[in-house]
Amino acid sequence: MEFRKNDIVTLDIEDCGIDGEGIGKADGFTVFVKDAVIGDTVRAKIMKAKKNYGYGRLMEILKPSPYRVEPRCPYARQCGGCQIQALSYEQQLAFKEAKVRGHLERIGGFTEIPMEPIIGMEEPYHYRNKAQFPVGRNKEGRIITGFYAGRTHNIIENRDCALGVSQNKEVLDRVIAYMEKYGVEPYEEATGKGLVRHILIRYGFFTGEVMVCVIANGARLPHSEKLVEALQEIPGMTSITLNVNRSRSNVILGEELKLLWGQTYITDKIGEVSYQISPLSFYQVNPLQTGKLYAKALEYANLHGEETVWDLYCGIGTISLFLAQQAKFVRGVEIVPAAIEDARRNAELNGLQNVEFFVGKAEEVLPREYEKHGVYADVIVVDPPRKGCDEVLLETILKMQPKRVVYVSCDSATLARDLKYLCGKGYELEKVCPVDQFGNTVHVETVALLTKKAR
Ligand code: SAH
């Protein structure tokens, strides 16, 4: 049967799409319904119809799924941040495992998948160490802060995101009170007028250090000493800065950073390695699970102190420094120069001398170093962005013939594509392990180990 826009259908939700949406069928017609959960029976209104499938809006839950839980955040449905808060955490993990397996089967063509059980979180809430809150005014003219509603720039007022730390609210309460008291205007996207754009907060889970960075459309905050006074009282406060961003674009941070109080950075740890983090640095948002992810990568690398290792797409060198604790020598490659500056400083901070970092594209640096200098690798680790590895890089890896390739991935579809390429040419998929770094969202990280086939 065919359906049209505005038709109302009743569906049993039997599956879950890759963005966490519920999937059900009405007379052979497949309907994707955001916010519906496997096991629900729902009434949905068709919003968009194609020949065999359509997208529906959840109108009513006729029978709730046994996997349904009450979302902790009252804004879970409106906000763009969490997609699957209404699903029990156990089922979230099952969904993520199935997603990785499905990609490896369908895209990778693997039939037997040596998958280890997904590594879940002990507490899927309050795990994010970083949050950026936009500041604006509501319809009544009151200064508000919170989150953008999914795919818009409308601010939903919420100072206490369920994924963030409790310090966020304390910081936001004080910044907003300061703005109200001293007449400091929020920035207005439509006109480019006003001052305060975003409030960036970072928290060191291991050190307890707190960082606040006010991002403003100007180089000065009026009465900034009053703001500093109020923020200083928060336990752990270490760094208060002003970031200047006068652009009319959506980019949150500008380049100029001014110290208002304390230091320009906080320190935190992943495993045994310490990192200095400035407001401009990239740093993993869930260090606890990142530690588990990297421990798995390290286990797969199986180092004994004699190995030469490459860490491609190394960011601030997080994995490189983990590996350097057990390898003879590690070389990291990253495209962002500022990240490499952080990586070098972090190596020094930890007294690790057996690492070297290169700025550039992995698919250019590795072939160059291999062809010009004949560099060698026992183990190659890659941790690419969502689009996966460039084919030139994969070819170079095949030429270099490392004993092991450890692939850390934030997108299991491109992971499957790249593993298929390497496994067609002399490597074997030996182990795969999904790790949940982002509870209540649909994202999942995966580590895979490839070994060179014996000839
Ligand atoms: N391993 C790092 C971060 C991985 S995220 C960590 O754990 O912190 C992916 C990184 O790849 C980003 O830092 C991004 O800047 C970098 N990147 C993107 N394209 C790249 C390319 N072609 N060559 C090298 N690095 C690249």
Side-chain angles (χ1 to χ4, degrees):
M1 202 174 138
E2 264 185 52
F3 287 92
R4 264 175 286 163
K5 191 170 159 78
N6 293 332
D7 283 352
I8 303 283
V9 290
T10 299
L11 304 164
D12 288 327
I13 301 296
E14 286 167 343
D15 206 349
C16 190
I18 51 168
D19 292 322
E21 70 281 19
I23 303 175
K25 280 198 170 150
D27 295 322
F29 184 81
T30 303
V31 189
F32 298 87
V33 188
K34 185 176 165 305
D35 302 314
V37 159
I38 293 184
D40 279 344
T41 302
V42 302
R43 236 159 44 87
K45 183 175 177 177
I46 304 291
M47 306 306 290
K48 201 168 158 189
K50 302 269 175 162
K51 198 160 171 16
N52 302 313
Y53 68 94
Y55 299 91
R57 173 184 293 163
L58 179 60
M59 304 299 285
E60 192 187 348
I61 299 166
L62 300 172
K63 193 175 114 271
S65 160
Y67 307 133
R68 196 170 255 291
V69 294
E70 187 60 38
R72 262 200 226 176
C73 169
Y75 310 104
R77 255 186 94 171
Q78 290 154 271
C79 166
C82 292
Q83 300 88 23
I84 50 175
Q85 247 196 61
L87 192 60
S88 74
Y89 188 58
E90 222 180 356
Q91 282 303 309
Q92 290 184 21
L93 292 178
F95 156 72
K96 291 182 188 196
E97 226 175 54
K99 176 164 152 174
V100 173
R101 185 181 293 281
H103 280 148
L104 289 171
E105 283 170 359
R106 285 197 310 277
I107 302 170
F110 294 96
T111 45
E112 291 197 3
I113 297 165
M115 195 139 113
E116 301 193 64
I118 185 165
I119 300 177
M121 302 171 52
E122 272 159 39
E123 165 61 352
Y125 287 97
H126 303 297
Y127 59 80
R128 281 189 65 100
N129 61 7
K130 174 184 169 184
Q132 304 175 122
F133 296 86
V135 183
R137 282 189 190 278
N138 68 1
K139 284 196 197 89
E140 289 80 47
R142 201 162 44 77
I143 300 177
I144 58 167
T145 180
F147 289 92
Y148 291 134
R151 292 190 221 109
T152 75
H153 272 198
N154 303 329
I155 300 174
I156 299 171
E157 187 170 16
N158 179 12
R159 299 184 190 181
D160 198 12
C161 165
L163 301 193
V165 294
S166 58
Q167 284 82 354
N168 288 342
K169 184 172 182 309
E170 266 182 84
V171 170
L172 296 174
D173 286 350
R174 286 164 200 242
V175 179
I176 302 297
Y178 147 82
M179 288 177 70
E180 276 166 354
K181 185 158 179 197
Y182 296 99
V184 181
E185 284 298 310
Y187 175 74
E188 211 182 74
E189 272 188 332
T191 60
K193 296 219 167 74
L195 194 58
V196 177
R197 301 172 71 123
H198 276 84
I199 302 160
L200 166 73
I201 304 168
R202 273 182 151 157
Y203 176 69
F205 273 98
F206 292 88
T207 56
E209 295 181 3
V210 181
M211 160 188 288
V212 179
C213 175
V214 177
I215 300 148
N217 179 35
R220 235 195 102 245
L221 285 180
H223 303 284
S224 63
E225 73 287 352
K226 299 290 179 199
L227 175 66
V228 165
E229 230 169 71
L231 290 177
Q232 243 179 322
E233 289 170 4
I234 297 174
M237 189 58 63
T238 307
S239 166
I240 307 175
T241 54
L242 172 70
N243 178 268
V244 186
N245 181 3
R246 291 197 181 92
S247 80
R248 291 293 295 270
S249 76
N250 279 342
V251 177
I252 295 181
L253 283 159
E255 280 170 17
E256 195 185 337
L257 191 68
K258 298 193 156 194
L259 181 67
L260 296 180
W261 181 81
Q263 294 166 321
T264 54
Y265 59 85
I266 58 170
T267 306
D268 197 33
K269 271 175 99 171
I270 298 179
E272 290 304 310
V273 184
S274 298
Y275 299 89
Q276 272 182 10
I277 311 145
S278 95
L280 301 171
S281 312
F282 170 84
Y283 185 62
Q284 296 282 352
V285 297
N286 181 351
L288 200 69
Q289 288 302 102
T290 301
K292 295 183 197 167
L293 179 72
Y294 293 171
K296 192 45 91 176
L298 193 60
E299 177 195 316
Y300 284 1
N302 191 17
L303 303 172
H304 298 99
E306 293 307 315
E307 296 84 357
T308 297
V309 183
W310 282 83
D311 176 22
L312 307 173
Y313 310 89
C314 70
I316 60 165
T318 332
I319 299 180
S320 319
L321 300 185
F322 242 68
L323 297 163
Q325 299 172 95
Q326 292 186 13
K328 182 168 156 207
F329 202 84
V330 181
R331 293 187 177 87
V333 184
E334 160 64 42
I335 199 168
V336 176
I340 289 292
E341 277 171 36
D342 283 348
R344 291 187 179 131
R345 211 190 40 233
N346 287 326
E348 210 169 293
L349 181 73
N350 290 281
L352 291 164
Q353 281 157 1
N354 56 338
V355 279
E356 181 183 5
F357 292 103
F358 298 80
V359 178
K361 290 185 180 168
E363 63 273 23
E364 290 174 7
V365 174
L366 193 68
R368 184 188 74 211
E369 291 300 309
Y370 174 64
E371 266 138 40
K372 274 206 187 142
H373 308 299
V375 294
Y376 157 91
D378 295 292
V379 180
I380 295 181
V381 179
V382 298
D383 183 9
R386 283 193 193 157
K387 69 174 193 233
C389 295
D390 193 283
E391 208 170 304
V392 175
L393 176 67
L394 296 177
E395 268 173 35
T396 310
I397 292 176
L398 290 172
K399 282 188 201 153
M400 288 174 72
Q401 293 280 303
K403 293 188 200 80
R404 288 181 287 284
V405 177
V406 178
Y407 197 129
V408 182
S409 159
C410 55
D411 185 325
S412 47
T414 55
L415 168 74
R417 179 199 68 199
D418 292 349
L419 293 185
K420 181 179 183 183
Y421 186 90
L422 293 169
C423 288
K425 301 195 166 142
Y427 282 82
E428 225 162 7
L429 180 58
E430 195 157 313
K431 279 178 189 166
V432 186
C433 185
V435 180
D436 188 22
Q437 289 227 68
F438 309 107
N440 291 304
T441 79
V442 292
H443 303 294
V444 58
E445 300 270 325
T446 311
V447 198
L449 169 63
L450 299 178
T451 50
K452 197 162 80 176
K453 270 191 206 162
R455 298 201 180 205

